[in-house]
Amino acid sequence: LLPPFLHRNRNNLEEFIDKICQYVIRDMDKYGVCVVDKFLGMEKGLAVLNEVLYMYSAGLFEDGQLVSNKGSTNDLKTIRGDQIIWLDGKEHQCQNIGMLISRVDAIIMRANKMHNNGKIGNYTINGRTKAMVACYPGHGSHYVKHVDNPNRDGRCITAIYYLNRDWDIKENGGLLRIFPEGWRDQVADIEPLFDRILFFWSDRRNPHEVQPAYKTRYAITLWYFDAEERNQACRRYQRESA
Ligand SMILES: Cn1c(O)c(C(=O)NCC(=O)O)c(=O)c2ccccc21
Ligand SMILES: [Mn+2]
């Protein structure tokens, strides 16, 4: 038998996951967007950040896409945009990133089970992509307005975990602006704050942009698959490439 305090700890985690899960289901149903702060807590959040910083300093990130930026004198300056690395979380020196991934999986799979006979937002989630760790190197790097999954590739939920301590949006920029469909001219402005996790529907309901960042900006993204949509996308892909 585990000592009582460990039991309490485990129960805390279980209770915590259940509580977050209810919150995610409610907000996704109502708004299609959900923000949870203090997701891992300071200690675990820092452990994840340190693994990302270590990999970044080791030069493991692929070079970001080149984006052209209107300079001050309106000349076209090409700057390095986001730099990314794909991880499954089982790599060496990634056990805390792996822990983050399994925490997000637990929320999504619990929500999948708990919500009207095993569906969240009428999806049956049966898988996800690897984790995409992204770094915006600052000096104006941004991401143009886009939809993550415009053509039914199977991805239904985007989950983004932010790692940026002492982030001052006025100074550092890097705001995520979502333009939820049906919100008329309302927008959802999300600051990429440390230990914050964001969920939103990946399809055309949520066009979004990352505004220019003037300080290094880190995030870890997971995309969850809807079983049906993913199968159809794979079948379509096989036909096309046959
Ligand atoms: C680096 N990066 C992204 O940052 C976002 C994105 O929407 N990010 C939102 C955010 O970081 O708040 C993306 O959607 C994305 C898609 C493909 C490749 C890279 C990508
Ligand atoms: Mn996106």
Side-chain angles (χ1 to χ4, degrees):
L1 264 185
L2 288 170
F5 65 88
L6 270 186
H7 268 298
R8 219 176 27 251
N9 207 334
R10 214 150 50 103
N11 290 346
N12 277 354
L13 183 60
E14 289 300 304
E15 281 157 25
F16 177 74
I17 287 179
D18 274 344
K19 193 160 61 70
I20 301 282
C21 181
Q22 259 120 31
Y23 184 56
V24 170
I25 290 174
R26 189 200 64 197
D27 275 20
M28 289 302 277
D29 276 356
K30 244 166 102 182
Y31 311 109
V33 180
C34 173
V35 176
V36 179
D37 280 316
K38 296 189 174 52
F39 183 59
L40 294 181
M42 178 61 87
E43 187 192 342
K44 287 184 167 44
L46 284 175
V48 172
L49 172 60
N50 286 330
E51 288 177 353
V52 170
L53 292 174
Y54 170 77
M55 284 186 290
Y56 192 69
S57 59
L60 297 175
F61 279 58
E62 297 145 27
D63 262 349
Q65 49 172 332
L66 279 171
V67 286
S68 52
N69 241 6
K70 286 230 175 314
S72 43
T73 57
N74 224 10
D75 64 317
L76 268 193
K77 185 163 49 87
T78 41
I79 60 165
R80 281 249 168 268
D82 54 288
Q83 298 167 279
I84 61 176
I85 180 170
W86 288 93
L87 298 171
D88 63 21
K90 298 183 185 63
E91 293 85 353
H92 178 58
Q93 302 267 4
C94 287
Q95 68 266 29
N96 289 290
I97 292 172
M99 176 269 300
L100 163 71
I101 295 170
S102 49
R103 287 273 175 104
V104 186
D105 283 352
I107 301 262
I108 296 293
M109 297 333 283
R110 183 73 54 86
N112 209 16
K113 254 206 314 292
M114 269 164 70
H115 201 45
N116 51 42
N117 61 44
K119 292 177 176 302
I120 177 169
N122 284 332
Y123 293 115
T124 302
I125 294 172
N126 70 339
R128 60 163 164 76
T129 64
K130 285 185 161 187
M132 180 186 79
V133 186
C135 169
Y136 287 80
H139 50 255
S141 49
H142 62 284
Y143 207 94
V144 295
K145 188 172 176 179
H146 66 283
V147 169
D148 283 352
N149 172 17
N151 307 314
R152 297 182 61 77
D153 66 23
R155 292 179 292 166
C156 61
I157 293 181
T158 303
I160 308 180
Y161 180 73
Y162 295 109
L163 290 154
N164 308 293
R165 302 180 70 195
D166 316 320
W167 190 267
D168 175 351
I169 205 75
K170 286 179 293 305
E171 286 283 305
N172 310 138
L175 181 78
L176 170 69
R177 174 161 288 176
I178 308 179
F179 305 81
E181 198 184 58
W183 281 27
R184 295 195 202 305
D185 49 3
Q186 282 275 314
V187 292
D189 281 350
I190 318 282
E191 300 186 15
L193 304 181
F194 176 74
D195 202 20
R196 165 174 285 182
I197 190 161
L198 162 72
F199 300 93
F200 59 87
W201 301 130
S202 309
D203 63 14
R204 293 167 188 262
R205 282 171 284 182
N206 288 314
H208 55 283
E209 66 186 10
V210 177
Q211 296 183 347
Y214 298 100
K215 192 170 112 180
T216 315
R217 178 191 190 274
Y218 296 99
I220 301 177
T221 301
L222 294 163
W223 281 282
Y224 287 86
F225 291 125
D226 167 63
E228 193 40 50
E229 186 179 312
R230 184 65 180 161
N231 292 340
Q232 282 164 11
C234 292
R235 274 201 292 276
R236 234 186 0 258
Y237 179 75
Q238 273 144 18
R239 264 201 314 279
E240 280 152 17
S241 53

